[in-house]
């Protein structure tokens, strides 16, 4: 079964609920109904409700940027899987590099977040990727394997069927510097082979693996042409509805 491409817009700490509504009203008419690309919007928590209302009766998916692994209790500032679901999301990110590097999420915390998300019935996008120092030291493979092993070891096939992966080299995020299509393909092919050896052919062949890091209308076509790249996790270029719609158009098979 061919993997359906996915373009996800991670808005990070941008857009109020009102700005979210304005964006979505401008964005929806730009989408080609026959596009054959899944589209996912990932606004900040306070905008999820409004986004969900604006996206009703559309095929655009809604996701959250993070979650905490506990179900409830004295965890100031945190949001549970159930809350994410109740806000209308079917998707959630776990292990985004800004969570890892700005907020100190460890591999262990990411593992617990993935568990909470999957148990909470959320389709989960696990983000992995190396820093510039790690790439220069030729540690890219070992970093990816460490992050994947920590987050995914021991998971069953049913869980893996609702998990996607985003390869996001930290040095390419928000820097304007994109990995070349070859660099992205090489890392993503390695991730797919890791899935094959750790799980099964079906997991390797069916898991969606996205590239993220300065994806723009100008580079999506070359990235998506790579055999193992199934879509993009887009930050900055998803903040403008026209640029995001052009990326989706460029990703169409
Ligand atoms: P960017 O962000 O497209 O602004 O580089 C990507 C991401 O962090 O998901």
């Amino acid at each position: 079964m061919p993997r359906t491409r996915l373009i996800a817009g991670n808005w990070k700490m941008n857009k109020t609920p009102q700005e979210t509504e304005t964006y979505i009203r401008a964005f929806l008419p730009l989408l080609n109904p026959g596009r054959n690309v899944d589209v996912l919007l990932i606004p900040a928590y306070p905008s999820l409700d409004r986004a969900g209302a604006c996206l009703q009766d559309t095929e655009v998916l809604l996701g959250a940027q993070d979650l905490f692994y506990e179900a409830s209790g004295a965890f100031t500032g945190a949001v549970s899987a159930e809350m994410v679901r109740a806000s209308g999301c079917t998707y959630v990110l776990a292990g985004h590099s800004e969570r890892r590097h700005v907020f100190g999420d460890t591999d262990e915390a990411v593992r617990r977040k993935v568990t909470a998300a999957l148990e909470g019935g959320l389709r989960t996008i696990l983000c992995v990727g190396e820093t510039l120092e790690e790439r220069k030291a030729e540690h890219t493979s070992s970093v990816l394997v460490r992050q994947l092993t920590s987050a995914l070891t021991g998971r069953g096939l049913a869980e893996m069927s609702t998990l996607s992966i985003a390869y996001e080299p930290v040095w390419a995020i928000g820097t304007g510097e994109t990995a070349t299509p070859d660099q992205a393909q090489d890392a993503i092919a390695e991730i797919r082979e890791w899935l094959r050896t750790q799980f099964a052919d079906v997991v390797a062949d069916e898991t969606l693996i996205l590239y993220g890091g300065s994806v723009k209308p100008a580079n999506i076509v070359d990235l998506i042409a790579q055999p193992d790249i199934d879509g993009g996790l887009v930050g900055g270029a998803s903040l403008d509805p026209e640029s995001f719609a052009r990326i989706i158009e460029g990703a169409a098979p």
Side-chain angles (χ1 to χ4, degrees):
M1 205 174 46
R3 301 181 291 266
T4 304
R5 292 176 177 178
L6 172 67
I7 297 291
N10 171 17
W11 289 356
K12 310 190 180 186
M13 197 173 73
N14 292 291
K15 298 193 193 294
T16 62
Q18 184 53 52
E19 289 165 343
T20 297
E21 179 168 346
T22 305
Y23 177 108
I24 293 174
R25 295 209 182 290
F27 174 64
L28 290 175
L30 303 175
L31 288 176
N32 169 3
R35 65 191 172 271
N36 217 351
V37 177
D38 286 338
V39 177
L40 169 63
L41 287 182
I42 313 177
Y45 293 133
S47 296
L48 289 174
D49 235 38
R50 186 84 70 100
C54 297
L55 294 174
Q56 238 181 12
D57 305 320
T58 75
E59 285 178 352
V60 177
L61 304 159
L62 186 64
Q65 299 173 11
D66 191 37
L67 79 169
F68 191 53
Y69 44 74
E70 296 290 353
S72 63
F75 303 104
T76 302
V79 168
S80 69
E82 188 188 0
M83 292 169 179
V84 167
R85 275 275 297 231
S87 303
C89 295
T90 50
Y91 275 81
V92 69
L93 302 181
H96 188 278
S97 76
E98 284 146 21
R99 296 302 318 175
R100 294 179 191 262
H101 296 287
V102 181
F103 298 98
D105 282 14
T106 60
D107 284 342
E108 173 62 12
V110 174
R111 186 185 68 75
R112 295 179 72 179
K113 288 181 175 191
V114 170
T115 300
L118 293 173
E119 284 177 354
L122 290 160
R123 301 188 76 90
T124 305
I125 302 179
L126 169 67
C127 305
V128 296
E130 81 288 0
T131 63
L132 186 58
E133 294 68 42
E134 289 163 342
R135 174 163 282 265
K136 281 186 177 155
E138 296 182 8
H139 292 162
T140 299
S141 297
S142 62
V143 169
L144 296 179
V145 167
R146 190 198 76 225
Q147 292 174 339
L148 293 166
T149 303
S150 169
L152 300 181
T153 296
R155 304 215 180 266
L157 296 189
E159 274 191 317
M160 289 304 291
S161 72
T162 60
L163 184 123
S164 305
I165 295 172
Y167 168 62
E168 299 204 303
V170 179
W171 47 272
I173 295 180
T175 58
E177 185 170 348
T178 322
T180 65
D182 284 348
Q183 284 172 323
Q185 163 61 25
D186 287 353
I188 288 175
E190 255 186 67
I191 293 170
R192 212 176 281 293
E193 276 322 295
W194 184 87
L195 292 172
R196 198 176 301 285
T197 55
Q198 299 298 310
F199 295 97
D201 283 343
V202 60
V203 175
D205 295 337
E206 293 189 359
T207 298
L208 223 59
I209 310 182
L210 314 179
Y211 166 77
S214 299
V215 173
K216 328 177 240 266
N219 58 28
I220 185 65
V221 174
D222 290 339
L223 287 163
I224 204 78
Q226 301 297 317
D228 285 296
I229 301 181
D230 301 320
L233 180 53
V234 187
S238 73
L239 292 174
D240 171 68
E242 280 175 23
S243 126
F244 192 47
R246 277 198 286 143
I247 292 171
I248 295 159
E249 204 59 46

